[in-house]
Amino acid sequence: MRDLAVVVAKADAEARIEALEREGVYDDDRQVRERDADRVELPVTDEPTHTAHERVVEQRDPDLRSPDLNARLRSRGWADDEIERAPSSWAVLGTVVLASFDDCPRKGEVGEALLELHREADTVLDRGGVEGEHRQPNVSVVAGAGDTETIHTEHGTRYAMDLDRVMFAPGNQAERARMGDVAGDGERVLDMFAGIGYFAVPMARAGASVTAVEKNPDSFRYLAQNAQLNDVAGSLDCVLGDCREVDAEADRVVMGYYDALGGGPVHDGDDPGYLAAALDAVVSGGTLHVHAAVPEPELWERPVSRLREGCAAAGRAVEIEAKRRVKSHSEGVAHVVLDARVD
């Protein structure tokens, strides 16, 4: 049996692997092999018929799938108590591996092991928190080339970003995909906190007409770039500024900021007026998608009551149609979303 592989651009590797897996021809027994500075070889059991690729090659002496991270660290002489302090999970975003190292010893060794496991990547970053009004990420290079700019592909959407300058939450993947599914063709959408286009781009790709507002200049630059990258610049209007100052009429409003309802656990305080702006924009019968970070003991009373109170103050009726837990925000705090119909 011949060991075949398809040659693709590094930037497209993640999306092509997903496509090959859907086609049923991706070979899990072999590793991704670097071909040159810009391309990789993805192992396949047969030539794909639907997945785009440059060409098919036959590999000699293929690289079999390597042991997992723990096994690699043991082979480097790590003790069990040290391995327990190594990252237990990580995300591969384009050519960057993103992980939280916390009190992990010998981070560089872990980083090199992660690069061996993920040949499509060339940089490993230690992810800290985010800071300030613009949600500036705090990252440091652990291993590799140190290039923090990359293109990450998810469910067909391509996100250009610099992980040293803009925030990207891997744990929000399902919610990003879902927003692309719920958006209707020709629907008017206001994304109040667009970032690099996390929700705006999938919704525009689904046929919606999206007004995406972002006040962080770095994020805005990538938002505009991602509109071009995904061929939706004609249906995605990028606005640099404060979403409370944007005049829009929308069938659907996305409030993707944790403290959009005010008084949240991230920055406790008064209502910042974002809900009032959303209610000014959403038409009768329209939908709000309200994100919140909520202490576990206050689920779901806190976000629901704040939303109901704000709608009542604006003279709008509201019906909660769905409540979703996206992920853990921090210890004892959940990231949740409310889907609400407003009349």
Side-chain angles (χ1 to χ4, degrees):
M1 179 178 176
R2 295 188 302 164
D3 293 309
L4 302 178
V6 293
V7 178
V8 304
K10 279 186 178 181
D12 297 331
E14 189 175 359
R16 298 294 185 265
I17 289 172
E18 289 182 5
L20 293 168
E21 289 175 337
R22 288 195 298 269
E23 240 187 282
V25 296
Y26 186 67
D27 188 353
D28 282 320
D29 292 331
R30 286 180 285 146
Q31 290 186 46
V32 174
R33 173 184 285 179
E34 185 174 50
R35 185 170 183 86
D36 54 39
D38 301 313
R39 299 176 297 169
V40 292
E41 298 176 7
L42 306 181
V44 294
T45 56
D46 201 356
E47 182 172 355
T49 56
H50 301 297
T51 303
H53 57 279
E54 290 184 13
R55 55 180 152 150
V56 177
V57 297
E58 183 175 355
Q59 292 183 330
R60 297 183 181 277
D61 300 319
D63 302 315
L64 298 180
R65 184 167 290 281
S66 302
D68 64 15
L69 179 62
N70 290 357
R72 285 184 173 275
L73 295 179
R74 284 194 181 91
S75 72
R76 286 170 161 83
W78 282 51
D80 287 345
D81 63 326
E82 293 177 310
I83 291 174
E84 288 179 1
R85 294 159 60 193
S88 59
S89 64
W90 52 89
V92 183
L93 304 177
T95 56
V96 177
V97 179
L98 190 63
S100 296
F101 284 77
D102 299 324
D103 67 341
C104 173
R106 305 200 296 282
K107 296 179 182 180
E109 290 186 23
V110 178
E112 292 299 332
L114 287 170
L115 290 176
E116 291 171 6
L117 286 170
H118 301 284
R119 294 295 181 91
E120 69 273 29
D122 59 19
T123 297
V124 178
L125 297 180
D126 182 4
R127 175 176 61 186
V130 292
E131 302 171 350
E133 182 184 10
H134 287 173
R135 309 292 285 162
Q136 180 76 27
N138 179 16
V139 300
S140 58
V141 177
V142 169
D147 187 358
T148 57
E149 194 167 28
T150 190
I151 296 177
H152 170 62
T153 303
E154 221 176 66
H155 301 285
T157 298
R158 304 179 74 191
Y159 295 101
M161 69 190 88
D162 184 340
L163 289 161
D164 186 45
R165 303 183 72 86
V166 302
M167 182 185 70
F168 192 88
N172 293 358
Q173 179 175 347
E175 189 67 16
R176 287 189 288 270
R178 183 180 180 281
M179 296 311 293
D181 291 336
V182 301
D185 190 17
E187 191 175 54
R188 297 166 300 171
V189 175
L190 172 63
D191 187 349
M192 297 179 67
F193 310 94
I196 66 169
Y198 314 108
F199 305 125
V201 174
M203 298 177 90
R205 291 184 67 235
S209 177
V210 183
T211 299
V213 188
E214 175 54 43
K215 68 189 304 184
N216 179 339
D218 289 321
S219 295
F220 178 81
R221 178 166 64 88
Y222 284 104
L223 170 64
Q225 182 176 338
N226 289 328
Q228 296 285 342
L229 189 62
N230 290 275
D231 296 322
V232 294
S235 56
L236 201 165
D237 181 20
C238 303
V239 179
L240 176 63
D242 190 321
C243 58
R244 292 167 293 191
E245 299 172 0
V246 173
D247 184 17
E249 187 173 83
D251 305 297
R252 190 180 300 274
V253 176
V254 183
M255 304 175 69
Y257 175 48
Y258 290 140
D259 289 336
L261 295 177
V266 182
H267 300 108
D268 196 20
D270 295 331
D271 180 354
Y274 294 121
L275 179 56
L279 293 173
D280 283 343
V282 70
V283 300
S284 180
T287 301
L288 297 183
H289 301 282
V290 184
H291 291 238
V294 186
E296 294 281 355
E298 298 185 63
L299 282 179
W300 290 86
E301 191 278 333
R302 174 187 249 188
V304 169
S305 64
R306 286 187 178 275
L307 179 57
R308 290 192 186 282
E309 290 166 6
C311 288
R316 305 289 296 269
V318 63
E319 179 183 351
I320 309 299
E321 296 185 326
K323 297 180 286 189
R324 288 189 308 286
R325 183 191 296 260
V326 177
K327 67 179 189 303
S328 172
H329 171 271
S330 56
E331 186 174 357
V333 178
H335 172 188
V336 301
V337 181
L338 301 178
D339 295 342
R341 175 189 167 94
V342 179
D343 292 312

